[in-house]
Amino acid sequence: MHRKFGKKDVIFIGVLLGICLIVLGVWYFAGGKQGALVVVTREGEVYGTYSLSQPQTVKIKNSKGKTTNVLVIRDGKADMKEADCPDKLCVHQKAISAENESIVCLPNHVVVTVTNSKKEGMDGFAQ
Amino acid sequence: MDLHSKQLWRKTAFMGVFLALAMICSYIEMLIPFDFGIPGVKLGLTNIVVVLMLYSIGTKEAFCVSVIRIFIVGILFGNLIGILYSLGGGILSFLVMALLKKGNHLGCISVSVAGGIAHNIGQILIAALVVSSHYVLYYFPVLLIAGLLTGFLIGLLAQELIVRLRFLTEKYHE
C-alpha cells in the first residue's frame, strides 16, 4: 500500500533530475544567439519572413482574409500583440529575439520563429 | 435495500465528489495566472485528485475521473483544441503513473514526478501535431524540468492527502 519516501525514490527522482538538467544545460548553452529574421508559418506553410532589425507591424490573416493575429517587431524583438482567440496564450508569451525561440498560437495554427538563415532553422534540432 | 445497491449508490456518490473536486482544481488553476512566459507550464493541481484516487480508490476510477474531467472542463471553458491538448497530456501522464504504481517499487512522489513530466511531453507532442511544426519542441527542456518540479510538489501534497483522507476513502471499498 502506501509508503513513504524511500531510497528508490531518491534514486529515481535524482536520475530524472540529472537528465532534465543535462538537457536544459545543452539547450541553454547551445541557443541564445540573437536571431536576424522571424519566420511566420500558418498551418505548416511559410506565411512570411521579416527582419528583426526593422520595426514593423505584421498582420497575420487567415485564408478568408480576416486578421487573426498581430505581430509587432520592435527593438530586435518580435511580440504577439493581438489574437482573436479566447485564451490569448500567444499574446501572454514573452517577446522573442534569440535563435529558435518561438511563439505559438494553437487555435489559429500560427507559429512565429526566430532564425538566422533564409532556409528553415532545422539546425537547432538536428543535433 | 440490499447490500449491493447500497454499495453502488455509495460508489456513485464518491465518484461524483471526486469529479467535482477535479473540476474545481482545474477552475482554480484557471483563475490563478501561473504565467511563466512559456506555453504549457502549469501547476497541474488536478493531478492531486488523480494521484489520490490512484492510491486510495482504484486505477479504473482514477482514469474515468481524469478523462471525464478533461471533457467537461474543455466544453465549459475551453475549445476543441484545448480538449485535444489536455487529453494528450492527461492520458500519457495517467498511463505512466499507473504503470509505475503497478511496479510497486516507487512511492507516490516519484509516481507524481513521472506523471508531471509525461503530462508535459504529451501536451507538447499534440501541440507539435496541431500546428504541424517542430518549432514547438524548442521549449521541451524547460517543460521537462517544469514537469519534474510541479510533479514533486503535487506528489508531496497527494502523499499527505492519501494518509489524512484514508478514513474517508476507506468507505469507498466497504
Side-chain angles (χ1 to χ4, degrees):
Chain A
M1 269 310 283
H2 178 72
R3 56 181 90 209
K4 285 277 169 192
F5 205 59
K7 202 176 165 192
K8 281 175 182 166
D9 295 275
V10 176
I11 296 169
F12 182 75
I13 295 177
V15 168
L16 282 180
L17 186 67
I19 294 171
C20 287
L21 287 179
I22 291 168
V23 174
L24 196 69
V26 170
W27 175 76
Y28 188 79
F29 289 108
K33 276 185 294 173
Q34 166 76 28
L37 302 165
V38 271
V39 180
V40 177
T41 60
R42 137 153 258 138
E43 286 164 23
E45 284 170 27
V46 176
Y47 180 87
T49 306
Y50 311 91
S51 168
L52 264 181
S53 51
Q54 210 176 351
Q56 56 190 310
T57 302
V58 180
K59 285 186 174 156
I60 303 162
K61 298 187 171 101
N62 66 9
S63 51
K64 290 171 193 143
K66 184 173 169 267
T67 302
T68 58
N69 299 69
V70 176
L71 182 77
V72 173
I73 301 172
R74 195 193 296 153
D75 306 326
K77 286 179 179 175
D79 195 12
M80 195 70 90
K81 283 289 179 205
E82 280 171 43
D84 65 352
C85 54
D87 56 12
K88 301 267 188 292
L89 277 178
C90 57
V91 179
H92 293 147
Q93 281 173 44
K94 61 179 166 55
I96 54 171
S97 59
E99 204 176 355
N100 287 331
E101 271 189 314
S102 59
I103 298 176
V104 179
C105 177
L106 279 181
N108 294 325
H109 297 200
V110 169
V111 182
V112 181
T113 310
V114 177
T115 176
N116 259 326
S117 50
K118 282 278 180 194
K119 65 179 170 63
E120 300 207 4
M122 267 303 291
D123 313 4
F125 296 94
Q127 290 163 358
Chain B
M1 194 188 330
D2 64 282
L3 188 69
H4 180 71
S5 62
K6 225 175 177 176
Q7 265 179 342
L8 204 66
W9 283 25
R10 184 181 305 145
K11 288 193 174 186
T12 312
F14 257 101
M15 291 293 278
V17 169
F18 279 120
L19 186 56
L21 201 59
M23 285 172 64
I24 287 174
C25 285
S26 294
Y27 187 64
I28 291 174
E29 185 144 341
M30 252 179 257
L31 291 181
I32 309 170
F34 296 112
D35 207 346
F36 298 100
I38 289 165
V41 177
K42 283 203 292 183
L43 195 50
L45 275 179
T46 348
N47 217 26
I48 296 181
V49 181
V50 178
V51 175
L52 173 69
M53 288 189 73
L54 205 55
Y55 275 86
S56 305
I57 305 292
T59 312
K60 263 183 289 176
E61 288 92 336
F63 184 75
C64 288
V65 164
S66 167
V67 171
I68 295 170
R69 192 274 312 178
I70 290 171
F71 276 104
I72 295 181
V73 171
I75 291 165
L76 283 177
F77 308 112
N79 49 37
L80 194 68
I81 289 167
I83 294 178
L84 206 66
Y85 201 48
S86 308
L87 273 181
I91 291 178
L92 188 68
S93 151
F94 187 85
L95 286 178
V96 168
M97 289 198 296
L99 281 175
L100 279 181
K101 194 209 155 231
K102 218 173 173 192
N104 212 23
H105 291 295
L106 297 165
C108 87
I109 296 180
S110 301
V111 168
S112 171
V113 164
I117 295 174
H119 186 269
N120 286 353
I121 293 176
Q123 277 204 334
I124 207 165
L125 288 181
I126 296 279
L129 281 177
V130 167
V131 295
S132 43
S133 160
H134 57 267
Y135 294 126
V136 194
L137 300 177
Y138 177 71
Y139 290 110
F140 196 68
V142 181
L143 289 177
L144 280 186
I145 197 97
L148 188 135
L149 292 176
T150 57
F152 187 78
L153 280 176
I154 296 299
L156 272 178
L157 285 168
Q159 192 177 49
E160 257 335 282
L161 281 174
I162 290 165
V163 177
R164 282 165 200 263
L165 289 179
R166 181 156 287 161
F167 75 97
L168 255 179
T169 49
E170 267 172 355
K171 291 204 163 58
Y172 182 86
H173 301 286
E174 272 173 18

